[in-house]
Amino acid sequence: MIKDISNFQNVFFIGIAGVGMSAIAQYLKGIGKDVSGSDRYFHPDEFNPTKNLLEAEGIQCFLQDGSGISEDTDLVVVSTAIEDTVFEVQKAKALSIPIIKRSELLAIIAQSKKTIAVAGTSGKSTTSAMLYQILNDAGLSPSIISGAGLTSLIKQGKIGNAAVGKGEWLIIEADESDGSVVQYKPEIGLLLNIDKDHQEIDELIQLFTIFKGNTHHRFIVNQSNLLAKDLSSDKSSDFGFETPEAGYCITDFHQEGFHLSFRIQNQVFEMNAIGRHSAENAAAAIAVAHSVGVSLEVCAQSLAQYEGIYRRHQILGQKNGVWVIDDYAHNPAKCASSIKACQLVAGEGRLITWFQPHGYKPTRFLKQDFIDEISAALRPQDEILMSEIFYAGGTAVKDISANDLVLGIKEKGKKACFIEHRAEIIPYLSQHLHSGDILLLMGARDPSLETFAKEVFNGLLANSF
């Protein structure tokens, strides 16, 4: 049985191209493990950017045909999306190779370091990236296993969602979507927010309460979030937006284009980012960093250089007077926050948003929340476009459509349009965009979204508004 990071050397990942799997694979390679893996997106004689970057790190990649698993394999890792019927799982069982889930392995890794676990239904990847940069700039040389690529690491030719430092701290994301948040026992636990996503609120509160109980040293929460603040242990360690009771209270927030500023404990912070939620995420990172001895001045100097993460309000550029922003937002709270953040950039101008929901079950579960929160966020001049729900395969019951969300938003008096096929988006935009508009693209899980966003951006070049 695998209970410690020293219990294995040769590890194989089924579904290694997934962002959570590839991060752990790179981390293990970085600490000297023999790592390999397969993925259904790997095909013969077909270039795959993730495969290429993994192999550049010395991680051997295979087709998902079982050829990478042998008697020399000590451990096989699967994500929650990998079913027992997959041939490679069957082969591992036949060879009596231990099989564990990604979250179980992450919990084992976390036991080997002083760990900071970032939890909450929104903002985990961004906050983890900000905290990593601050601790790195402070000379603490942290490690990180993240759910998104950091721009600073991507520029080094890496996937960007993992790094191995020489210091004692490891930053991880504690995911509530699969319930695995309860598996981690960090030195410092950070709770950003609690909003309906994947589970009902009562279930989420139960998970985060257990997470709090598992935290060894300090538990830090967002006093601005009505549900999260009820789990506070020490308000002097907490953060929040204009919450005087919080030790790290955000005041004097100001957004000017793609630049924001705010103040915490009389220290001015400036960042190239957008939205109140960005300031909240930064305050969370600041609260943790300051608790481990980093001065607020160093925090400010570091965040001023923060370059962001992959597909989190990623600014693709401006074409014909239209700014295009690509974002990973996918649940109701995230979509509403993303819309509100981009409205600050648009000013009195229009915000045109495109959104592709993912998964029939989560869309059905969150249907009314999507309708309510997106409708409340949209202004009279704004419009949201939706294409059909992304389907990743499996046995999902297709009894809901993105058009159901559109109709609900229209009933609330807001502008919404269902464009079933993404191929029709660029022609639609060419007829409806005007110079001065902001175009926000939102969606998750679909690996083709980055390519689609670039296609939309490049398509604007051929049109004059």
Side-chain angles (χ1 to χ4, degrees):
M1 187 177 226
I2 305 296
K3 292 185 176 181
D4 187 87
I5 201 167
S6 63
N7 292 156
F8 64 91
Q9 176 61 32
N10 190 331
V11 56
F12 187 90
F13 288 79
I14 303 175
I16 196 170
V19 64
M21 297 283 271
S22 66
I24 297 178
Q26 292 168 90
Y27 178 85
L28 291 178
K29 183 64 180 179
I31 63 170
K33 302 294 184 181
D34 298 319
V35 183
S36 57
S38 65
D39 201 276
R40 62 177 175 164
Y41 290 109
F42 297 163
H43 302 292
D45 304 318
E46 181 179 302
F47 175 76
N48 182 286
T50 302
K51 177 176 179 288
N52 189 58
L53 291 170
L54 287 170
E55 290 182 335
E57 296 289 331
I59 297 171
Q60 190 172 5
C61 295
F62 295 86
L63 302 180
Q64 207 166 69
D65 58 6
S67 59
I69 299 174
S70 71
E71 294 179 350
D72 293 329
T73 306
D74 298 324
L75 176 66
V76 168
V77 186
V78 298
S79 69
T80 52
I82 302 298
E83 299 176 345
D84 286 346
T85 54
V86 172
F87 174 70
E88 288 181 311
V89 174
Q90 295 298 316
K91 182 175 181 180
K93 288 182 176 180
L95 293 172
S96 299
I97 300 170
I99 302 173
I100 64 173
K101 294 191 179 298
R102 179 201 65 84
S103 58
E104 294 175 289
L105 178 54
L106 182 56
I108 290 170
I109 293 171
Q111 292 174 8
S112 68
K113 302 279 284 186
K114 290 182 71 173
T115 297
I116 301 165
V118 182
T121 47
S122 302
K124 293 186 288 293
S125 295
T126 299
T127 303
S128 296
M130 290 177 177
L131 179 57
Y132 172 79
Q133 175 149 337
I134 292 172
L135 297 187
N136 204 41
D137 289 344
L140 298 182
S141 189
S143 299
I144 185 171
I145 298 174
S146 176
L150 284 65
T151 300
S152 59
L153 297 177
I154 292 172
K155 285 183 175 180
Q156 299 175 26
K158 301 178 181 295
I159 295 175
N161 53 354
V164 176
K166 297 178 180 178
E168 61 183 353
W169 290 106
L170 167 65
I171 302 164
I172 66 168
E173 295 181 30
D175 191 6
E176 79 292 339
S177 65
D178 58 1
S180 62
V181 64
V182 303
Q183 297 178 356
Y184 310 114
K185 299 178 179 180
E187 185 78 6
I188 298 175
L190 176 61
L191 180 57
L192 301 172
N193 38 56
I194 304 176
D195 295 296
K196 187 177 177 182
D197 184 18
H198 303 289
Q199 295 103 343
E200 295 288 357
I201 292 296
D202 289 346
E203 295 174 277
L204 290 170
I205 291 175
Q206 184 177 14
L207 290 173
F208 290 128
T209 300
I210 295 172
F211 173 61
K212 174 184 176 180
N214 288 343
T215 300
H216 293 309
H217 180 59
R218 181 174 282 112
F219 193 71
I220 299 171
V221 307
N222 182 0
Q223 286 288 329
S224 300
N225 186 268
L226 293 176
L227 296 175
K229 72 176 185 178
D230 288 339
L231 295 180
S232 174
S233 296
D234 178 4
K235 292 180 181 178
S236 67
S237 296
D238 295 341
F239 64 99
F241 223 108
E242 297 176 350
T243 49
E245 66 273 22
Y248 300 87
C249 174
I250 305 165
T251 62
D252 302 324
F253 173 83
H254 180 69
Q255 179 85 49
E256 186 71 37
F258 294 102
H259 182 83
L260 63 78
S261 62
F262 58 93
R263 188 184 296 269
I264 291 178
Q265 296 183 11
N266 293 319
Q267 174 67 56
V268 175
F269 293 85
E270 297 187 356
M271 299 175 59
N272 292 316
I274 59 175
R276 290 167 64 93
H277 69 286
S278 293
E280 278 192 355
N281 292 336
I286 292 163
V288 175
H290 198 230
S291 75
V292 300
V294 181
S295 71
L296 294 182
E297 182 180 6
V298 169
C299 290
Q301 292 170 351
S302 178
L303 289 174
Q305 305 301 317
Y306 175 67
E307 297 181 86
I309 58 175
Y310 170 74
R311 294 202 63 238
R312 269 60 168 190
H313 280 146
Q314 188 173 1
I315 301 167
L316 300 185
Q318 186 184 46
K319 291 281 181 70
N320 294 317
V322 176
W323 284 101
V324 183
I325 301 170
D326 187 22
D327 193 47
Y328 193 77
H330 57 278
N331 69 25
K334 291 176 181 176
C335 288
S337 292
S338 187
I339 289 169
K340 291 174 183 177
C342 290
Q343 286 168 343
L344 292 174
V345 180
E348 297 302 314
R350 291 196 311 168
L351 173 65
I352 308 298
T353 300
W354 173 83
F355 175 49
Q356 177 183 270
H358 75 269
Y360 288 89
K361 183 178 179 180
T363 303
R364 186 187 319 112
F365 178 63
L366 296 168
K367 174 185 172 183
Q368 196 58 47
D369 300 272
F370 272 123
I371 292 170
D372 293 343
E373 298 213 32
I374 290 176
S375 297
L378 292 172
R379 304 169 302 175
Q381 67 267 42
D382 299 331
E383 180 179 13
I384 187 164
L385 319 174
M386 289 194 197
S387 294
E388 194 52 279
I389 297 166
F390 171 67
Y391 173 58
T395 56
V397 178
K398 300 179 182 180
D399 58 352
I400 188 170
S401 166
N403 192 38
D404 294 323
L405 307 186
V406 167
L407 293 174
I409 293 169
K410 282 183 173 181
E411 287 177 359
K412 290 184 175 288
K414 299 301 173 70
K415 297 175 184 176
C417 180
F418 177 60
I419 302 177
E420 181 177 2
H421 302 293
R422 289 190 336 200
E424 301 169 11
I425 292 294
I426 294 176
Y428 180 92
L429 292 174
S430 68
Q431 298 296 318
H432 289 79
L433 280 176
H434 308 302
S435 179
D437 290 344
I438 301 293
L439 175 60
L440 168 64
L441 308 172
M442 300 190 303
R445 307 293 188 237
D446 181 351
S448 69
L449 283 173
E450 179 185 18
T451 300
F452 173 70
K454 290 177 180 177
E455 289 173 352
V456 171
F457 179 66
N458 292 331
L460 300 184
L461 186 63
N463 300 287
S464 297
F465 309 120

